[in-house]
Amino acid sequence: MRIRDPKGIRAGFSLSELLISLLILAEIATFTIPKVLSAQQNGQNNARAKSVAAMISEAFYIHKINGLVNANTRATDLTPYMNYISYDTTSGSTVDNTPRYSWWYTCNSFYPCMDLHGGGVLLLLNNCRLGGTTSLNYLDFLYDPDGTFNGDYVVNTFNGQGKSIYFALYADGFLTTRNKMRAGSIQGGCAGTTGPDTGFDPSWFSW
């Protein structure tokens, strides 16, 4: 039913006009809402990862001012200065690798995992020691924001939210991601000389 005002001008909408408007709004929402939710999740992941990076840096600083940093320092040596809920070396739980990898890491005595208060899991790549105290010697860490393996190419895409961020912590205290590692970096007792690897940081991370 249409309503006319005293001047004879038609007011209101017909049922068909309302339905068309609702269909248009639904179509917009179909494309917009997933993008908004994804952006929100990316922001949360990024904030958590930065908090983890700060925790690693602070732990290393304390370890260093205590005079304990040397060529044999490993990632696990920093755990007394870190804030976490639980320390996992036995469960066999899995966390995602970085972009360009579809496989996972397993939490065990070789790769201990820390469940963090802010969410996610920090995996300590403890198979490698610092190997020296130059500005090129480093330790490495892997942070998975959701703490589970689900980042294969089909589920979370090559570079999406399911992927972990890799941190390299140098003997001089500098911390960075794999994309921005120093050229000629030395992974003591492990892979030898490495350098920056473009494309290994997940799309949700930025400094």
Side-chain angles (χ1 to χ4, degrees):
M1 175 178 172
R2 297 182 183 275
I3 302 171
R4 295 181 179 273
D5 66 14
K7 296 180 180 180
I9 301 174
R10 189 181 69 180
F13 296 95
S14 67
L15 178 60
S16 61
E17 288 171 334
L18 286 172
L19 288 174
I20 291 171
S21 298
L22 288 173
L23 285 172
I24 292 171
L25 289 173
E27 191 73 17
I28 293 171
T30 300
F31 291 99
T32 304
I33 291 175
K35 291 182 179 179
V36 170
L37 293 175
S38 179
Q40 183 180 41
Q41 186 63 61
N42 286 344
Q44 290 177 350
N45 289 347
N46 197 42
R48 289 173 180 173
K50 288 180 180 179
S51 178
V52 171
M55 180 182 70
I56 295 170
S57 294
E58 183 178 1
F60 185 76
Y61 175 75
I62 296 172
H63 198 61
K64 191 169 186 175
I65 64 175
N66 287 336
L68 300 175
V69 173
N70 55 55
N72 292 317
T73 297
R74 295 180 184 271
T76 49
D77 293 328
L78 307 184
T79 57
Y81 320 111
M82 293 182 174
N83 186 20
Y84 56 93
I85 299 171
S86 61
Y87 189 77
D88 180 7
T89 61
T90 59
S91 72
S93 299
T94 55
V95 297
D96 282 286
N97 209 321
T98 57
R100 300 180 65 175
Y101 291 113
S102 59
W103 63 82
W104 59 90
Y105 277 100
T106 301
C107 301
N108 53 39
S109 57
F110 203 54
Y111 298 123
C113 291
M114 301 166 67
D115 293 310
L116 304 179
H117 290 282
V121 170
L122 177 64
L123 184 136
L124 311 178
L125 297 167
N126 201 48
N127 56 322
C128 303
R129 56 189 175 84
L130 197 56
T133 56
T134 74
S135 61
L136 292 178
N137 294 94
Y138 72 96
L139 299 172
D140 39 13
F141 304 81
L142 199 72
Y143 174 64
D144 185 347
D146 64 16
T148 59
F149 173 68
N150 58 10
D152 61 23
Y153 298 141
V154 175
V155 176
N156 281 293
T157 75
F158 185 82
N159 194 26
Q161 292 175 0
K163 293 301 184 180
S164 294
I165 182 71
Y166 174 99
F167 291 117
L169 173 68
Y170 289 87
D172 61 1
F174 176 69
L175 184 143
T176 191
T177 65
R178 190 160 181 171
N179 277 11
K180 298 182 181 300
M181 290 176 65
R182 293 168 174 168
S185 296
I186 303 167
Q187 193 175 37
C190 284
T193 303
T194 59
D197 292 308
T198 302
F200 283 85
D201 289 359
S203 57
W204 53 261
F205 184 82
S206 63
W207 286 111

